[in-house]
Amino acid sequence: MTTWRGAVRRVEPHLPVLLALTVAAVTWASATGGLGVRAPLPGVVVLLVALATGAAVLASRPWVLPAVAAASWLLLAAWAPVVVASWRAGVGLRGRPLAAYLLGTVPVMLASVAVGGAMGGERRLVVATPGNAVLFYAWLVIAPAVAGLWIGARRDALAALRDRADRLEREQEAQAERVRVEERARIAREMHDVVAHRVSLMVVHAGALEVTTADPATVEAAALIRSTGRAALTDLREVLSVLRQGPPLPSPGWDAVDDLVRESRATGLRVSRADEGTPGPVPGAVARTVHRVVQEGLTNVRKHAPDAAVDVRLRHLADRIEVAVRNDPSDRPGPVLPGAGLGLVGLRERVELTGGRLTAGPTPAGGFLLCALVPVGEPT
């Protein structure tokens, strides 16, 4: 099993090229009579069409392969590119775009029947009879599209499960951190109420003894007790401060926002980044909040609008930073994922703790905007 998985991983990066070569070879075999209807066109034309179908599989534009598939079917009755185009439509399209693709195949198949009837002979017998035309439409368009829909739904389900597992893990970590913070606060209260109170009484009594006694040795001992008690109180305050606030968190710089953008681009998101004003040093809480806003915005776009263009914009003003993550409308929305829905709620609380304001909602154009105003100064 390990050997098989290793072989799959090695072959996977080359699958698009292998698919393109397969489509070109099958198109040639179909048009020359080996796997389909022999075309009356010259061999050079058949070869060019076969190469064009292979290149269309590798094209970045989604409309190239359906267009080449339609042309090759009308010219050569070549079925391979039609199958691949229908399969890709099922995997990548949903709703109206998928319906538009299926409706667009109907006139192509009808035109193929007309071409077969005009050519006569084997072409007429294979593709121009009503029964064969319906059968070809079912096997070349409907069946691959259904298979693509199943594969796409399975991918979406797996992505939803992975995202849900990641979110649950983050929520569990956050819950564990809240428990740790509450426990540290409880310990700090107990130490303050018991230890600090008693040490303070000891210092007070030592100071009173130092003033009222006439014995030099007692005065010296009382002074030592009083100074030692004050030092103990100072150390205790520092320990209580650590217990209440926890260890200092690392403060991400502006390069961390660039890292988020690069990571999103690596996953296929179309992200643009723009800054206004001059970035300057900011408190750690402000930098962490800005980083968190961008992270949450890009995560939500990957979940709900993976094919939409995204704009990340930071405005560095004199007293605050405005961070906005805006995405365009999506033609292929992501799956509706179950979850606690605490991302924006927790983010709003984080922003408000800095004295800022968070807004989130759809834009008039049909996209989504996440915007935060974060004061640069520490909140009072």
Side-chain angles (χ1 to χ4, degrees):
M1 180 63 71
T2 304
T3 305
W4 169 254
R5 289 178 178 176
V8 170
R9 279 195 293 267
R10 286 193 295 270
V11 173
E12 189 173 5
H14 308 290
L15 284 179
V17 176
L18 294 176
L19 180 61
L21 293 175
T22 302
V23 169
V26 174
T27 301
W28 170 265
S30 174
T32 54
L35 295 174
V37 180
R38 178 181 294 275
L41 299 176
V44 174
V45 175
V46 174
L47 178 61
L48 291 176
V49 174
L51 294 177
T53 58
V57 173
L58 300 175
S60 58
R61 301 285 184 177
W63 54 267
V64 174
L65 179 57
V68 173
S72 63
W73 177 250
L74 293 175
L75 289 175
L76 309 176
W79 51 269
V82 182
V83 171
V84 176
S86 300
W87 170 73
R88 280 193 174 177
V91 171
L93 301 180
R94 295 291 183 274
R96 291 183 178 178
L98 179 58
Y101 172 82
L102 295 177
L103 290 176
T105 58
V106 173
V108 174
M109 301 303 290
L110 293 177
S112 174
V113 172
V115 171
M119 293 182 62
E122 185 183 6
R123 179 75 176 263
R124 177 186 178 88
L125 292 175
V126 175
V127 301
T129 60
N132 285 349
V134 172
L135 186 63
F136 269 117
Y137 186 76
W139 284 105
L140 301 185
V141 177
I142 301 299
V146 171
L149 282 171
W150 180 81
I151 293 173
R154 187 172 181 272
R155 288 180 180 176
D156 292 343
L158 291 176
L161 291 175
R162 283 194 295 266
D163 184 82
R164 185 180 183 184
D166 293 341
R167 182 174 289 273
L168 287 175
E169 183 178 357
R170 291 195 299 268
E171 291 177 357
Q172 289 174 355
E173 291 176 355
Q175 178 65 23
E177 180 61 26
R178 283 194 294 271
V179 172
R180 286 193 292 267
V181 170
E182 292 174 359
E183 184 63 16
R184 288 199 301 263
R186 187 188 67 79
I187 295 173
R189 286 194 300 269
E190 293 293 330
M191 292 180 65
H192 179 271
D193 293 343
V194 178
V195 181
H197 176 69
R198 295 187 181 277
V199 174
S200 297
L201 288 178
M202 181 184 67
V203 171
V204 171
H205 286 296
L209 181 63
E210 184 181 3
V211 173
T212 58
T213 186
D215 183 11
T218 304
V219 170
E220 182 178 357
L224 178 61
I225 293 172
R226 181 172 58 83
S227 61
T228 302
R230 286 182 173 177
L233 284 175
T234 301
D235 294 339
L236 183 59
R237 290 191 188 98
E238 293 178 356
V239 172
L240 294 180
S241 176
V242 171
L243 283 174
R244 288 193 177 100
Q245 300 177 6
L249 297 175
S251 299
W254 303 122
D255 291 339
V257 176
D258 293 329
D259 292 339
L260 291 175
V261 172
R262 281 194 294 269
E263 291 171 2
S264 297
R265 287 172 179 168
T267 63
L269 218 59
R270 294 178 292 151
V271 187
S272 61
R273 163 79 190 278
D275 285 61
E276 297 180 17
T278 303
V282 295
V286 173
R288 287 191 293 271
T289 300
V290 171
H291 182 272
R292 185 69 182 89
V293 171
V294 176
Q295 185 181 50
E296 182 69 15
L298 293 177
T299 299
N300 288 337
V301 173
R302 282 198 297 269
K303 286 175 51 182
H304 303 295
D307 63 334
V310 191
D311 178 55
V312 177
R313 188 174 299 273
L314 271 65
R315 293 181 63 199
H316 302 272
L317 305 176
D319 58 344
R320 65 187 186 277
I321 296 175
E322 179 181 353
V323 53
V325 181
R326 183 194 306 268
N327 64 273
D328 294 337
S330 173
D331 294 329
R332 183 171 59 89
V336 178
L337 302 179
L342 299 179
L344 290 178
V345 175
L347 186 62
R348 178 172 282 106
E349 293 175 353
R350 178 187 288 267
V351 172
E352 290 175 353
L353 284 175
T354 67
R357 185 174 74 255
L358 178 76
T359 59
T363 62
F368 195 87
L369 172 63
L370 178 65
C371 182
L373 290 174
V374 185
V376 173
E378 293 284 356
T380 58

